[in-house]
Amino acid sequence: METNLTDQKQHTPKDYKNGSAVRWCPGCGDHAILNCLHKALAELNLEPHEIAVISGIGCSSRLPYYMNTYGMHSIHGRASAIATGVKTANPALSVWVATGDGDSLAIGGNHFIHAIRRNVDINIILFNNKIYGLTKGQYSPTSEKGFISKSSPYGTVEEPFNPAELCFGARGTFFGRAIDVDLKNLTDLMVASAKHKGTSVMEVLQNCVIFNDGIHSKIADKAFRAERTIVLQQGKKMLFGANNEKGIVAEKNLQLKAVTIGQDGYTLDDVLVHDATTKDSTLHFKLARMGYENDLPVALGVIRDVQAPTFEDEYEKQIEEVQKKMPKKTFTDFLMGSDNVWELK
């Protein structure tokens, strides 16, 4: 399915739209994610027939209906497993998974972590609105402890999942994060994900205007987004703030700290430089956890991006090695082989 780039036209976002009426609530963050995916695919200039979008069940999982590509609206929690099969059967396809925090982290939790562990070359867009939207407002695996919902009227007593922790625990090779209202960074993250060879997990902090409106407003609002988030860029200083006057430093105990440059003895030289490609995930893990249990900005952008063998490449390699050692047989030879035939006397 290789395309001759010299003969290939430059695609635009509309080439990936199929004309179907988008049936999400007005103001839902899903609209922004869909538009950014169209833009990212146009930037990558992939042919529509080179793309497959797989989803599970939930509001996010309607996304394949709005794509002029191959697609499958599958069953609850199984999108990562089905995407694994699609990629293994046709490694030439660019495979994308649209899933929610309930679909992928609850019933689909095992499929999610094992796809990451296997490092299948798929792109997982995890819509995280910390609520079950399609089933009308029950708490999800990412809802904060104490969250009041239809299924937890007195507040949930459960500790939430942090998607980054699951990704790193499964030895993930790519993790990034974006906010639905930050279209540029979200599009850039999708492009970086597609260029990564292996499982890419993109956590998108997405708003549900009906059942969990404003859940990410403390960091998404433009009035203070620059102060409460940091967009990490490869090879650049970890700076944030309205005028990039703040930075992330590492203390002697390896704890991360947000400082103002020029105050308390901290200079620009003390600020860490982001390297998403280092194999050691220690710093990546700490960056991904910022803002959850500490007084630090939430990290956005590509947090981890390392190379490792992919499942489908290793699978194909194994098949080739076995075929070299064994003579090729027809299907009839296989059926009539001594191990598969019984003689009745």
Side-chain angles (χ1 to χ4, degrees):
M1 194 176 291
E2 292 185 2
T3 302
N4 186 343
L5 296 180
T6 58
D7 299 330
Q8 184 180 6
K9 73 168 187 176
Q10 179 60 50
H11 285 288
T12 65
K14 69 178 182 180
D15 293 326
Y16 305 95
K17 302 177 182 180
N18 66 4
S20 298
V22 180
R23 300 184 182 278
W24 285 316
C25 301
C28 174
D30 292 5
H31 291 278
I33 298 172
L34 174 65
N35 289 337
C36 287
L37 181 56
H38 290 153
K39 292 177 182 178
L41 294 175
E43 184 173 337
L44 293 162
N45 208 32
L46 296 175
E47 294 294 331
H49 68 267
E50 296 176 336
I51 303 163
V53 182
I54 314 298
S55 67
I57 295 297
C59 294
S60 61
S61 295
R62 293 193 59 82
L63 191 143
Y65 291 110
Y66 313 130
M67 299 294 299
N68 182 34
T69 64
Y70 291 116
M72 179 185 292
H73 188 179
S74 68
I75 55 180
H76 203 184
R78 310 302 188 240
S80 295
I82 293 173
T84 296
V86 171
K87 186 64 179 183
T88 304
N90 190 349
L93 285 175
S94 176
V95 180
W96 297 74
V97 173
T99 184
D101 48 295
D103 183 58
S104 62
L105 303 184
I107 189 172
N110 270 344
H111 295 305
F112 178 75
I113 61 174
H114 287 298
I116 298 170
R117 175 182 66 85
R118 295 183 177 111
N119 201 33
V120 188
D121 189 15
I122 58 178
N123 307 288
I124 301 175
I125 307 175
L126 173 57
F127 298 51
N128 187 3
N129 54 23
K130 300 188 177 184
I131 195 74
Y132 278 104
L134 186 68
T135 53
K136 306 301 185 285
Q138 299 83 3
Y139 73 89
S140 82
T142 57
S143 298
E144 300 296 335
K145 186 175 182 179
F147 181 76
I148 295 175
S149 71
K150 291 183 178 180
S151 56
S152 57
Y154 303 107
T156 172
V157 298
E158 301 175 10
E159 293 290 343
F161 271 143
N162 180 338
E165 292 178 336
L166 290 177
C167 179
F168 285 105
R171 304 178 72 177
T173 57
F174 185 103
F175 180 82
R177 186 185 291 127
I179 307 173
D180 56 3
V181 294
D182 192 348
L183 305 186
K184 182 183 184 306
N185 287 322
L186 178 52
T187 303
D188 290 345
L189 178 60
M190 291 177 175
V191 171
S193 167
K195 293 180 178 180
H196 175 78
K197 187 77 170 170
T199 305
S200 301
V201 178
M202 294 164 278
E203 180 189 15
V204 184
L205 304 181
Q206 175 257 344
N207 190 45
C208 174
V209 293
I210 303 300
F211 297 108
N212 210 10
D213 193 24
I215 186 60
H216 302 299
S217 61
K218 291 182 179 179
I219 62 171
D221 194 300
K222 275 190 174 182
F224 35 73
R225 189 189 306 168
E227 301 294 328
R228 298 180 182 177
T229 66
I230 179 171
V231 180
L232 299 174
Q233 299 182 64
Q234 177 65 18
K236 295 187 178 181
K237 293 281 187 177
M238 299 183 191
L239 299 173
F240 69 104
N243 300 301
N244 278 343
E245 73 281 7
K246 299 179 181 180
I248 303 298
V249 301
E251 301 289 73
K252 291 182 179 179
N253 58 3
L254 297 181
Q255 295 300 307
L256 300 183
K257 180 180 179 180
V259 302
T260 299
I261 299 169
Q263 295 183 10
D264 301 321
Y266 291 103
T267 68
L268 185 61
D269 291 337
D270 297 312
V271 177
L272 295 172
V273 173
H274 183 48
D275 184 3
T277 64
T278 182
K279 293 287 186 181
D280 191 322
S281 64
T282 303
L283 182 55
H284 299 159
F285 181 81
K286 288 179 176 292
L287 291 169
R289 284 185 53 81
M290 290 198 312
Y292 284 87
E293 295 180 353
N294 42 48
D295 188 23
L296 289 164
V298 172
L300 305 175
V302 178
I303 297 173
R304 180 170 175 79
D305 184 359
V306 300
Q307 297 302 312
T310 65
F311 174 79
E312 62 276 10
D313 284 349
E314 293 298 293
Y315 185 73
E316 289 292 327
K317 186 187 302 181
Q318 184 182 69
I319 291 175
E320 291 178 3
E321 292 175 352
V322 172
Q323 287 178 338
K324 289 179 181 178
K325 297 177 182 179
M326 300 175 63
K328 294 183 179 180
K329 296 182 178 181
T330 65
F331 185 61
T332 301
D333 292 335
F334 173 76
L335 289 179
M336 302 304 295
S338 59
D339 294 335
N340 303 312
V341 177
W342 290 268
E343 182 178 352
L344 300 179
K345 297 182 178 180

